[in-house]
Amino acid sequence: MRSRLRARGVLAVAALALVLAAVALLVAHRGLATDAPLAAGDGKGHYAQPRKVAERSAERMKEAVREGGQRPLGAPQAAAATEDGAAAEADPSPAVGPLFYTAQDEPVHGCTASVVHSAAGDLVVTAAHCVYMDGFRTDLAFVPGYDRGAAPYGVWVPRSIDVAPEWTEDRDPDYDVAFLRMEPAEGAGSLERATGAARIRFDPPARGPARVVGYPNDGERPVACRGTTQAEGATQLRFDCEGLLNGTSGSPFLADDGATLVGVLGGKDEGGDEETSYSPYFGDAVARLYRRATDG
């Protein structure tokens, strides 16, 4: 999970180094319990979650949200920040929501995910570090359009999770992307039909206007920021914005007024710091992972 810390001068840097040495594990998993329930998957970065495991998360979520009151798909998308380069509170977007971790004392959200188009209409994308540590997390739930305890589009739990083997083996930041196929916690239905979805653009231009939308750990509404992506080497995108705090890992980088997904907040430094965010570049590797997730 991204940490949001700013060093102020040489003395602050030295002090920060000592702090990080003492609490590195806590920072690496901020918002996530280090004793979270984990599963091994198949060794290639794929985990098929048994329904009975998903049902435990679904049951826990009854303590955290109230369902109902679904908004129409025409509801406003997340509003633009008040100024470029600074995140501000925004209206919820139907296809973006927090990832909850239900093995805590009570369910809490610690990352963000978004719905992306697929033939089956059941796919979300987030950062790999949000769903895989030393194994796949088995206590996940997704609440699209979440707003101050309300789940207007229901609660969804993973049927399967896919990450690249380069992530499971070495936590390679260039592969910090995960795709999850979702099913409703109760009943039946298509996630994409309920919320809409962005279409993924593979091999996007490195430089272009984008909006990032995500849920801070301690926030009950999303924040949004407009800015411009740019290349950070050959394998990462950079997005300069102040105020995308812990919990926004996995947030979508959206172009074309929210219709196209060109990245997710993660990658370098597991997402960056309080002023600069990153995404792995959505090239051939992410395209292969998407095909594997949707074909499975």
Side-chain angles (χ1 to χ4, degrees):
M1 194 74 53
R2 67 197 322 220
S3 62
R4 293 299 185 179
L5 302 171
R6 181 190 295 175
R8 299 180 185 274
V10 175
L11 292 178
V13 170
L16 178 61
L18 292 174
V19 172
L20 291 180
V23 299
L25 181 61
L26 293 177
V27 170
H29 301 300
R30 173 170 277 187
L32 307 181
T34 55
D35 60 348
L38 303 175
D42 68 0
K44 297 180 180 179
H46 176 80
Y47 169 59
Q49 179 161 268
R51 178 62 191 180
K52 65 180 181 180
V53 175
E55 287 173 350
R56 287 200 294 268
S57 291
E59 185 64 26
R60 292 297 312 279
M61 286 302 293
K62 293 179 180 179
E63 305 170 17
V65 300
R66 58 185 186 278
E67 296 190 56
Q70 179 166 322
R71 304 188 187 99
L73 269 183
Q77 299 294 304
T82 54
E83 58 181 291
D84 288 356
E89 186 176 290
D91 291 330
S93 177
V96 180
L99 273 180
F100 278 81
Y101 302 95
T102 64
Q104 314 291 322
D105 291 338
E106 61 183 45
V108 296
H109 58 87
C111 275
T112 301
S114 61
V115 186
V116 290
H117 175 68
S118 66
D122 62 356
L123 197 66
V124 303
V125 64
T126 188
H129 74 258
C130 292
V131 301
Y132 185 97
M133 295 186 297
D134 296 321
F136 290 94
R137 292 197 66 122
T138 63
D139 63 336
L140 301 172
F142 174 57
V143 186
Y146 179 78
D147 188 2
R148 293 167 289 197
Y153 305 98
V155 174
W156 301 76
V157 290
R159 177 184 297 121
S160 64
I161 306 173
D162 280 275
V163 299
E166 289 87 351
W167 178 261
T168 64
E169 293 167 5
D170 298 313
R171 296 181 69 86
D172 187 327
D174 294 341
Y175 297 86
D176 191 7
V177 180
F179 291 102
L180 294 73
R181 296 188 69 169
M182 311 299 287
E183 58 189 356
E186 295 182 348
S190 163
L191 175 59
E192 187 171 338
R193 187 172 298 172
T195 65
R199 290 185 176 270
I200 296 181
R201 181 172 183 179
F202 297 112
D203 297 319
R207 184 174 181 83
R211 177 165 55 86
V212 175
V213 185
Y215 285 78
N217 282 353
D218 59 356
E220 290 296 285
R221 305 196 87 213
V223 297
C225 185
R226 287 191 182 275
T228 301
T229 61
Q230 55 187 306
E232 179 75 9
T235 58
Q236 299 275 322
L237 295 181
R238 174 181 175 137
F239 184 82
D240 292 318
C241 174
E242 185 174 355
L244 292 171
L245 305 177
N246 280 319
T248 59
S249 287
S251 296
F253 284 28
L254 297 166
D256 301 329
D257 292 327
T260 305
L261 184 131
V262 297
V264 295
L265 201 157
K268 182 178 178 180
D269 299 330
E270 293 196 358
D273 59 28
E274 67 178 13
E275 296 181 343
T276 301
S277 299
Y278 300 98
S279 168
Y281 183 72
F282 274 29
D284 291 344
V286 178
R288 288 193 300 272
L289 183 63
Y290 173 86
R291 290 193 295 270
R292 191 181 83 190
T294 54
D295 290 345

